[in-house]
């Protein structure tokens, strides 16, 4: 029993630290999509979230207790499965989803896809423990399967360029074209913007299928 409690406490602490880092990224403008993109670009879930999808626990409720509650009602399990599901298009090289530029620019397409996944998870899953669990599962699944793709989705240069695009309300497609070395070609900017929207739609649809309690 003591070992089990210790594991819960360690997992909860990791999730709390991850949540803090994620909120710092948001404050820096990493995911200011709701301010920068037109309404049709981002689909936001309507209606009030269920009790289990409320924001981070109140001060009176410990992180460990909240994590245990989410584990007992099955939400942690579903969050892990969702992360694995969201990683599949990258790991399977789904050409229909990833688009024609996937073969020529796999690294840039991979990061753009991961950016869309992270953005939509944080938009649609308001409970930070569940959102962080999904993103951890997504990242871990990729890391354990394909190291090259894992490096691509964590590329610091791409992260900086897209962060600037989103902070300055610039087109994500422009950042994609720049990273591909095709900044002067409008076709690449358009292809990047279209791919990003396609990835957002895919991520949104997958999240909507999960019956969080």
């Amino acid at each position: 029993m003591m070992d089990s409690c210790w594991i819960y406490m360690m997992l909860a602490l990791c999730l709390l630290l991850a949540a803090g880092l994620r909120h710092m990224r948001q404050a820096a403008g990493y995911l200011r999509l709701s301010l920068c993109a037109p309404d049709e670009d981002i689909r936001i879930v309507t209606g009030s979230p269920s009790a289990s999808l409320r924001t981070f626990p109140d001060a009176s409720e410990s992180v460990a207790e909240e994590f245990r509650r989410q584990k007992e009602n099955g939400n942690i399990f579903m969050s892990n499965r969702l992360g694995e599901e969201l990683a599949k298009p990258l790991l399977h090289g789904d050409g229909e989803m990833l688009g024609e530029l996937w073969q020529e620019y796999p690294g840039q397409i991979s990061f753009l896809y991961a950016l869309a996944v992270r953005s939509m998870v944080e938009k649609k899953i308001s409970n930070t423990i569940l959102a962080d669990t999904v993103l951890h599962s997504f990242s871990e699944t990729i890391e354990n399967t394909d190291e090259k793709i894992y490096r691509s989705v964590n590329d610091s240069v791409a992260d900086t360029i897209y962060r600037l695009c989103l902070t300055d309300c610039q087109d994500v497609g422009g950042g994609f074209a720049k990273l591909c070395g095709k900044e002067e070609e409008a076709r690449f900017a358009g292809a990047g913007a279209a791919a990003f929207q396609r990835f957002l739609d895919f991520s949104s649809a997958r999240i909507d299928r999960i019956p969080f309690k």
Side-chain angles (χ1 to χ4, degrees), residues 6-186:
W6 177 251
I7 291 172
Y8 278 133
M9 291 178 65
M10 291 302 294
L11 286 173
L13 178 59
C14 290
L15 288 168
L16 179 59
L17 290 173
L21 290 173
R22 183 158 64 84
H23 288 310
M24 289 174 66
R25 289 203 313 269
Q26 288 176 322
Y30 182 51
L31 295 172
R32 293 175 59 189
L33 293 176
S34 60
L35 297 177
C36 301
D39 292 341
E40 63 271 16
D41 287 346
I42 304 291
R43 301 323 194 251
I44 308 228
V45 133
T46 57
S48 300
S50 66
S52 65
L53 294 182
R54 64 186 186 278
T55 53
F56 206 72
D58 296 333
S60 61
E61 183 178 29
S62 73
V63 177
E65 289 173 344
E66 172 69 3
F67 180 85
R68 183 162 49 248
R69 190 179 73 83
Q70 297 293 350
K71 188 174 188 298
E72 289 174 351
N73 68 18
N75 281 347
I76 294 296
F77 175 81
M78 290 187 286
S79 296
N80 279 310
R81 297 293 81 76
L82 175 58
E84 294 171 358
E85 183 74 15
L86 290 169
K88 285 182 178 179
L90 284 182
L91 299 178
H92 294 171
D94 186 344
E96 183 177 355
M97 164 56 57
L98 299 174
E100 59 182 18
L101 293 177
W102 163 249
Q103 295 296 329
E104 191 173 357
Y105 300 95
Q108 301 310 329
I109 290 293
S110 294
F111 188 91
L112 193 63
Y113 177 85
L115 176 63
V117 167
R118 292 163 182 157
S119 300
M120 196 53 69
V121 166
E122 294 184 355
K123 283 284 183 183
K124 303 196 75 168
I125 302 179
S126 60
N127 184 295
T128 55
I129 287 179
L130 299 184
D132 288 338
T133 300
V134 173
L135 294 179
H136 175 75
S137 175
F138 172 76
S139 180
E140 186 176 55
T141 300
I142 295 173
E143 182 181 17
N144 292 339
T145 307
D146 193 312
E147 186 177 343
K148 185 175 181 180
I149 292 179
Y150 179 75
R151 289 197 302 269
S152 294
V153 301
N154 290 286
D155 182 82
S156 60
V157 174
D159 177 73
T160 299
I161 289 178
Y162 284 117
R163 185 188 302 231
L164 291 172
C165 286
L166 295 173
T167 301
D168 297 338
C169 295
Q170 297 177 14
D171 184 11
V172 168
F176 175 78
K178 183 174 184 177
L179 288 164
C180 291
K182 303 290 184 179
E183 196 170 2
E184 304 302 322
E185 297 187 31

